[in-house]
Amino acid sequence: VQSTKNKSASKTTKITNLKPSKTLVKSKSQSVQKRLTLNKTTSAKKGAQKTTKVKLHKAVTKVVTAKKYSKPNLEKRIRQPASANPLVSSGRFLTNVFEPGRVSFHLLAKDMPFAYRVTSLYVKPQEVIDFSIVDANNGQSFKVQAKAGKLARLAEKDYRWTAPNQSGTYRLDITKGSERMQVNLFVLKPMPKNGVINQYSIGRYPEAAKDGDPRYLPPTGLIEVTEANKDMLISPHFRLGQFVCKQEGGYPKYLYLQERLLMKLEWLLAEVNRRGYFSPSFSVMSGYRTPFYNNRLNNVSLSRHQWGDAADIFIDNDQDGVLDDLNKDGRIDKADAQLLYELFEQLEEPNPTMHGGLGLYEANAFHGPFVHVDARGTQARWGMND
Ligand SMILES: [Ca+2]
Ligand SMILES: [Ca+2]
């Protein structure tokens, strides 16, 4: 993959830096034409072969035959709307260069280091959050600003922010020279006592935590997701709306997320890109699940999705709602998800702070292949030997 990338990158340089010859221009426009006409043609007959366009690079297209997906099945499998991966569809990423979105310092809050340009913390009304700024190259001074809540400086790089009483989205900005970290502070809505909030069903969490394990305690509150904030970035490559539960019902919707899930997803995404699988974001098939929805799915009752630290993900750069042909064998199947699974496992192993659940899933009538990841703190594995 790396060599293909390099080759095509040098080709692009040639096209832009030198005056393109007529033949080059012609072949480029021909490939665009070809792409338009080859647009996802499928045979109507069930079981017939489907031609899928796999976009390898902006100017290089390849047609592969994926035997596994006949159109009727594929349609059922695509539950994910086309806009599910807004970072791809917005055209924000026009080149296949991944930018990790990190800053040179980090914020230490809730016992976790945050080093991304966009970071989100979830807090209760009036909760007091102590944080420090850690900077290896101690040169420049920092400016910390909060428009709401109460910000106090405790020591040179230690601060305290007291959340307002009113739930909603607030913001803290940390600047160091030309660098800026935007910290979104979501002040949570209290959990509804009857399992329903603004006509949105949450259901009930088990009263007592599983074996006294605090990771299974009911959430302290919920993030309100509206039409207005669903597209906001909560980390450099993920948006709030990607994680809402797939249950029916309009906005406002309610969501529980944990900081460590986004930290893990950003880390995995950067590592996947570093290994040559360009992807500007992961498609999140399922993020948060309300207990109400989880019960209806007949899923395991203690699924981490209900505790906001799990996501079922895949890479879908061609935006067809299904995992891409990552191993380039012309088929989209379990082997492509397995490639991600094995990569994640290899990455997780030496990094105890990133330990969590990892599950491999093959396609069925409702979805394509995907990988479950969670940030529960201890390792759990399933799906690989099924
Ligand atoms: Ca795809
Ligand atoms: Ca494949």
Side-chain angles (χ1 to χ4, degrees):
V1 173
Q2 200 56 53
S3 69
T4 316
K5 207 170 144 185
N6 289 344
K7 242 187 261 165
S8 21
S10 65
K11 206 175 187 180
T12 315
T13 319
K14 250 185 230 161
I15 292 171
T16 48
N17 289 354
L18 307 171
K19 270 194 174 173
S21 69
K22 267 182 187 170
T23 44
L24 254 180
V25 172
K26 198 176 165 196
S27 77
K28 201 179 173 192
S29 70
Q30 271 175 347
S31 100
V32 171
Q33 193 59 45
K34 209 170 156 192
R35 223 166 10 185
L36 290 173
T37 50
L38 280 172
N39 190 21
K40 288 176 199 164
T41 47
T42 42
S43 166
K45 278 182 188 167
K46 198 177 176 181
Q49 292 189 346
K50 176 191 173 286
T51 312
T52 310
K53 176 195 69 165
V54 171
K55 201 170 166 191
L56 293 170
H57 181 266
K58 241 177 113 183
V60 185
T61 56
K62 189 184 166 187
V63 174
V64 294
T65 306
K67 286 178 186 163
K68 292 217 108 182
Y69 287 88
S70 58
K71 193 174 183 183
N73 281 342
L74 189 66
E75 275 175 351
K76 265 194 259 165
R77 280 164 193 176
I78 302 174
R79 280 191 161 179
Q80 196 87 332
S83 62
N85 196 339
L87 289 172
V88 178
S89 54
S90 68
R92 239 175 89 111
F93 294 88
L94 293 173
T95 56
N96 54 359
V97 177
F98 180 79
E99 211 277 292
R102 294 179 76 92
V103 288
S104 66
F105 56 93
H106 69 259
L107 171 78
L108 201 61
K110 293 186 166 189
D111 295 325
M112 276 177 281
F114 300 91
Y116 292 104
R117 258 194 336 249
V118 184
T119 287
S120 297
L121 298 175
Y122 312 103
V123 299
K124 288 178 285 189
Q126 292 184 305
E127 187 174 342
V128 174
I129 296 283
D130 284 342
F131 63 92
S132 314
I133 298 164
V134 183
D135 184 20
N137 350 294
N138 239 330
Q140 244 159 340
S141 60
F142 289 88
K143 206 163 97 187
V144 182
Q145 287 174 299
K147 286 199 183 96
K150 220 167 74 193
L151 180 69
R153 194 173 182 180
L154 306 179
E156 201 201 339
K157 282 172 183 170
D158 299 332
Y159 295 82
R160 171 169 289 172
W161 186 73
T162 309
N165 192 34
Q166 183 68 39
S167 67
T169 311
Y170 301 92
R171 202 172 131 172
L172 193 81
D173 287 290
I174 304 172
T175 45
K176 176 200 171 190
S178 60
E179 288 187 286
R180 196 187 71 184
M181 180 191 279
Q182 174 187 326
V183 186
N184 303 316
L185 295 147
F186 290 94
V187 177
L188 307 173
K189 285 250 183 207
M191 280 295 286
K193 293 222 162 46
N194 61 356
V196 180
I197 177 167
N198 274 338
Q199 298 170 342
Y200 191 82
S201 294
I202 302 297
R204 285 176 202 282
Y205 282 85
E207 286 283 317
K210 178 200 178 199
D211 306 323
D213 187 338
R215 293 174 299 179
Y216 291 87
L217 281 170
T220 48
L222 301 161
I223 303 161
E224 188 172 66
V225 186
T226 62
E227 290 276 8
N229 73 3
K230 69 179 168 57
D231 292 329
M232 79 179 279
L233 285 173
I234 50 173
S235 72
H237 305 91
F238 295 92
R239 294 182 190 270
L240 188 60
Q242 284 180 281
F243 297 90
V244 291
C245 186
K246 299 289 184 283
Q247 73 192 42
E248 62 270 16
Y251 290 97
K253 299 180 183 194
Y254 294 86
L255 165 68
Y256 182 50
L257 270 182
Q258 300 212 43
E259 290 86 358
R260 57 177 187 264
L261 173 66
L262 271 300
M263 298 301 287
K264 184 164 179 175
L265 291 178
E266 283 289 349
W267 174 66
L268 291 175
L269 184 67
E271 292 297 328
V272 161
N273 275 279
R274 230 156 61 89
R275 279 157 181 78
Y277 299 97
F278 169 70
S279 184
S281 184
F282 290 125
S283 278
V284 181
M285 200 180 76
S286 180
Y288 173 61
R289 280 187 208 143
T290 62
F292 166 79
Y293 185 71
N294 196 65
N295 290 345
R296 273 193 358 200
L297 288 181
N298 278 328
N299 194 20
V300 286
S301 65
L302 293 174
S303 157
R304 288 308 305 169
H305 288 276
Q306 297 165 101
W307 281 274
D309 64 11
D312 294 340
I313 55 173
F314 55 95
I315 289 177
D316 184 21
N317 290 337
D318 60 8
Q319 289 286 285
D320 64 352
V322 179
L323 174 68
D324 295 347
D325 179 19
L326 296 180
N327 64 3
K328 307 262 186 270
D329 66 351
R331 297 156 59 94
I332 296 156
D333 58 21
K334 197 176 176 180
D336 298 298
Q338 193 174 325
L339 188 148
L340 275 184
Y341 178 103
E342 284 170 348
L343 177 56
F344 292 169
E345 186 165 49
Q346 195 192 328
L347 289 164
E348 224 195 76
E349 202 58 47
N351 289 286
T353 58
M354 294 294 183
H355 281 184
L358 196 49
L360 177 66
Y361 289 82
E362 58 186 323
N364 67 13
F366 303 105
H367 57 72
F370 67 88
V371 175
H372 165 108
V373 296
D374 68 58
R376 68 180 73 184
T378 49
Q379 289 184 314
R381 300 283 180 264
W382 63 93
M384 219 5 221
N385 303 308
D386 298 356

